[in-house]
Short mmCIF file of all heavy atoms in Angstrom, two decimals:
data_model
loop_
_atom_site.label_atom_id
_atom_site.label_comp_id
_atom_site.label_asym_id
_atom_site.label_seq_id
_atom_site.Cartn_x
_atom_site.Cartn_y
_atom_site.Cartn_z
N GLY A 3 29.81 -31.50 65.24
CA GLY A 3 30.33 -32.84 64.94
C GLY A 3 29.25 -33.71 64.33
O GLY A 3 29.50 -34.45 63.36
N SER A 8 26.51 -36.14 59.64
CA SER A 8 25.33 -36.19 58.78
C SER A 8 25.69 -35.85 57.34
O SER A 8 25.24 -36.52 56.39
CB SER A 8 24.25 -35.22 59.30
OG SER A 8 23.11 -35.24 58.47
N VAL A 29 22.13 -61.72 54.14
CA VAL A 29 21.33 -62.02 55.34
C VAL A 29 19.95 -61.37 55.19
O VAL A 29 19.62 -60.40 55.87
CB VAL A 29 22.02 -61.46 56.62
CG1 VAL A 29 21.41 -62.08 57.87
CG2 VAL A 29 23.51 -61.65 56.60
N LEU A 36 11.30 -55.44 58.04
CA LEU A 36 11.08 -54.00 57.91
C LEU A 36 10.04 -53.67 56.83
O LEU A 36 9.55 -52.55 56.77
CB LEU A 36 12.39 -53.30 57.55
CG LEU A 36 13.44 -53.22 58.68
CD1 LEU A 36 14.78 -52.79 58.11
CD2 LEU A 36 12.98 -52.25 59.76
N THR A 41 5.71 -48.02 54.57
CA THR A 41 4.86 -46.83 54.42
C THR A 41 5.11 -45.84 55.55
O THR A 41 5.07 -44.62 55.33
CB THR A 41 3.36 -47.22 54.39
OG1 THR A 41 3.07 -48.04 55.53
CG2 THR A 41 3.03 -47.99 53.12
N LEU A 44 8.42 -44.08 54.77
CA LEU A 44 8.24 -43.08 53.72
C LEU A 44 7.51 -41.86 54.27
O LEU A 44 7.84 -40.71 53.93
CB LEU A 44 7.46 -43.67 52.53
CG LEU A 44 7.26 -42.71 51.35
CD1 LEU A 44 8.59 -42.33 50.72
CD2 LEU A 44 6.33 -43.31 50.30
N MET A 48 8.70 -37.95 54.16
CA MET A 48 7.87 -36.86 53.63
C MET A 48 7.59 -35.81 54.72
O MET A 48 7.53 -34.62 54.42
CB MET A 48 6.54 -37.43 53.11
CG MET A 48 6.67 -38.29 51.86
SD MET A 48 7.29 -37.36 50.43
CE MET A 48 8.95 -38.00 50.32
N HIS A 65 8.32 -16.88 40.01
CA HIS A 65 9.45 -16.25 39.34
C HIS A 65 9.77 -16.90 37.99
O HIS A 65 10.19 -16.22 37.05
CB HIS A 65 10.69 -16.28 40.23
CG HIS A 65 10.54 -15.44 41.46
ND1 HIS A 65 11.25 -15.68 42.62
CD2 HIS A 65 9.77 -14.35 41.72
CE1 HIS A 65 10.91 -14.78 43.53
NE2 HIS A 65 10.01 -13.98 43.01
N SER A 66 9.62 -18.22 37.90
CA SER A 66 9.95 -18.94 36.66
C SER A 66 8.83 -19.92 36.30
O SER A 66 9.05 -21.14 36.26
CB SER A 66 11.27 -19.69 36.82
OG SER A 66 12.29 -18.86 37.27
N VAL A 74 7.68 -29.92 35.38
CA VAL A 74 6.61 -30.79 35.92
C VAL A 74 5.94 -31.60 34.81
O VAL A 74 5.69 -32.80 34.96
CB VAL A 74 5.57 -29.95 36.68
CG1 VAL A 74 4.37 -30.80 37.09
CG2 VAL A 74 6.20 -29.31 37.92
N VAL A 79 5.31 -36.81 31.84
CA VAL A 79 5.15 -37.29 30.46
C VAL A 79 6.33 -38.17 30.05
O VAL A 79 6.15 -39.29 29.56
CB VAL A 79 5.01 -36.10 29.47
CG1 VAL A 79 5.05 -36.61 28.03
CG2 VAL A 79 3.72 -35.34 29.72
N GLN A 93 9.50 -56.49 26.06
CA GLN A 93 8.47 -57.49 26.33
C GLN A 93 8.60 -58.04 27.76
O GLN A 93 8.69 -59.25 27.98
CB GLN A 93 8.57 -58.64 25.31
CG GLN A 93 8.17 -58.25 23.89
CD GLN A 93 6.67 -57.90 23.80
OE1 GLN A 93 5.81 -58.75 23.98
NE2 GLN A 93 6.37 -56.63 23.55
N GLY A 111 12.17 -37.09 42.97
CA GLY A 111 12.64 -37.38 44.32
C GLY A 111 13.35 -36.19 44.94
O GLY A 111 13.89 -35.33 44.23
N LEU A 127 14.87 -23.83 41.16
CA LEU A 127 13.94 -24.42 40.19
C LEU A 127 13.69 -25.89 40.52
O LEU A 127 12.55 -26.37 40.45
CB LEU A 127 14.51 -24.28 38.77
CG LEU A 127 13.75 -25.02 37.66
CD1 LEU A 127 12.31 -24.52 37.56
CD2 LEU A 127 14.47 -24.85 36.32
N SER A 133 8.50 -29.82 44.64
CA SER A 133 7.35 -29.47 45.49
C SER A 133 6.04 -29.59 44.72
O SER A 133 5.07 -30.19 45.20
CB SER A 133 7.51 -28.05 46.03
OG SER A 133 8.71 -27.91 46.76
N SER A 135 5.43 -31.21 41.77
CA SER A 135 5.15 -32.57 41.29
C SER A 135 4.71 -33.48 42.44
O SER A 135 3.85 -34.35 42.25
CB SER A 135 6.37 -33.16 40.58
OG SER A 135 7.44 -33.40 41.47
N PHE A 141 -2.89 -37.19 42.49
CA PHE A 141 -3.88 -37.19 41.42
C PHE A 141 -3.31 -37.72 40.10
O PHE A 141 -3.94 -38.53 39.41
CB PHE A 141 -4.43 -35.77 41.23
CG PHE A 141 -4.82 -35.12 42.53
CD1 PHE A 141 -3.97 -34.21 43.16
CD2 PHE A 141 -6.00 -35.48 43.17
CE1 PHE A 141 -4.31 -33.64 44.37
CE2 PHE A 141 -6.34 -34.92 44.40
CZ PHE A 141 -5.50 -34.00 45.00
N VAL A 149 -3.85 -45.59 33.20
CA VAL A 149 -3.89 -45.56 31.73
C VAL A 149 -2.85 -46.49 31.14
O VAL A 149 -3.12 -47.23 30.17
CB VAL A 149 -3.67 -44.11 31.21
CG1 VAL A 149 -3.47 -44.10 29.70
CG2 VAL A 149 -4.86 -43.23 31.58
N ILE A 174 3.61 -34.30 54.49
CA ILE A 174 4.24 -33.04 54.07
C ILE A 174 3.52 -31.86 54.69
O ILE A 174 4.15 -30.95 55.24
CB ILE A 174 4.24 -32.93 52.53
CG1 ILE A 174 5.32 -33.84 51.94
CG2 ILE A 174 4.50 -31.48 52.09
CD1 ILE A 174 5.35 -33.85 50.42
N LYS A 185 8.33 -22.73 64.26
CA LYS A 185 9.35 -21.87 63.64
C LYS A 185 10.77 -22.25 64.09
O LYS A 185 11.23 -23.33 63.83
CB LYS A 185 9.04 -20.40 63.94
CG LYS A 185 7.74 -19.96 63.29
CD LYS A 185 7.41 -18.52 63.57
CE LYS A 185 6.07 -18.16 62.92
NZ LYS A 185 5.63 -16.81 63.25
N ASP A 189 14.40 -25.92 64.25
CA ASP A 189 15.64 -25.86 63.46
C ASP A 189 16.59 -27.01 63.80
O ASP A 189 17.22 -27.60 62.92
CB ASP A 189 16.36 -24.53 63.67
CG ASP A 189 15.65 -23.38 62.94
OD1 ASP A 189 14.78 -23.69 62.11
OD2 ASP A 189 15.96 -22.21 63.21
N ILE A 192 15.28 -30.09 62.18
CA ILE A 192 15.43 -30.04 60.73
C ILE A 192 16.81 -30.53 60.31
O ILE A 192 16.96 -31.23 59.31
CB ILE A 192 15.17 -28.60 60.20
CG1 ILE A 192 13.68 -28.27 60.33
CG2 ILE A 192 15.60 -28.47 58.74
CD1 ILE A 192 13.35 -26.82 60.02
N LEU A 223 19.45 -58.72 36.67
CA LEU A 223 20.22 -58.05 35.62
C LEU A 223 19.31 -57.39 34.60
O LEU A 223 19.59 -56.29 34.12
CB LEU A 223 21.16 -59.04 34.92
CG LEU A 223 22.46 -59.36 35.66
CD1 LEU A 223 23.28 -60.39 34.89
CD2 LEU A 223 23.29 -58.09 35.87
N LEU A 224 18.21 -58.07 34.25
CA LEU A 224 17.24 -57.50 33.31
C LEU A 224 16.64 -56.22 33.88
O LEU A 224 16.59 -55.19 33.19
CB LEU A 224 16.13 -58.52 33.02
CG LEU A 224 14.91 -57.98 32.22
CD1 LEU A 224 15.33 -57.56 30.82
CD2 LEU A 224 13.80 -59.04 32.18
N ALA A 230 18.47 -48.68 34.47
CA ALA A 230 19.58 -47.81 34.08
C ALA A 230 19.25 -47.06 32.79
O ALA A 230 19.53 -45.86 32.65
CB ALA A 230 20.86 -48.63 33.91
N LEU A 235 17.83 -42.17 29.95
CA LEU A 235 16.98 -41.51 28.94
C LEU A 235 16.17 -40.39 29.58
O LEU A 235 15.87 -39.39 28.93
CB LEU A 235 16.06 -42.54 28.28
CG LEU A 235 16.75 -43.53 27.34
CD1 LEU A 235 15.76 -44.61 26.88
CD2 LEU A 235 17.34 -42.83 26.12
N ALA A 252 21.68 -23.72 33.18
CA ALA A 252 21.50 -24.11 34.59
C ALA A 252 20.09 -24.66 34.83
O ALA A 252 19.91 -25.61 35.60
CB ALA A 252 21.76 -22.93 35.51
N LYS A 308 32.36 -29.57 34.01
CA LYS A 308 32.16 -28.94 32.71
C LYS A 308 31.87 -27.44 32.87
O LYS A 308 32.36 -26.61 32.12
CB LYS A 308 30.99 -29.60 31.97
CG LYS A 308 30.83 -29.18 30.52
CD LYS A 308 29.78 -30.03 29.83
CE LYS A 308 29.70 -29.71 28.34
NZ LYS A 308 29.31 -28.34 28.06
#
Side-chain angles (χ1 to χ4, degrees):
S8 179
V29 195
L36 288 168
T41 52
L44 182 64
M48 292 296 107
H65 293 155
S66 307
V74 173
V79 171
Q93 291 294 293
L127 172 60
S133 302
S135 68
F141 312 100
V149 170
I174 285 177
K185 296 180 182 175
D189 286 347
I192 289 172
L223 280 178
L224 170 64
L235 289 173
K308 190 172 185 298

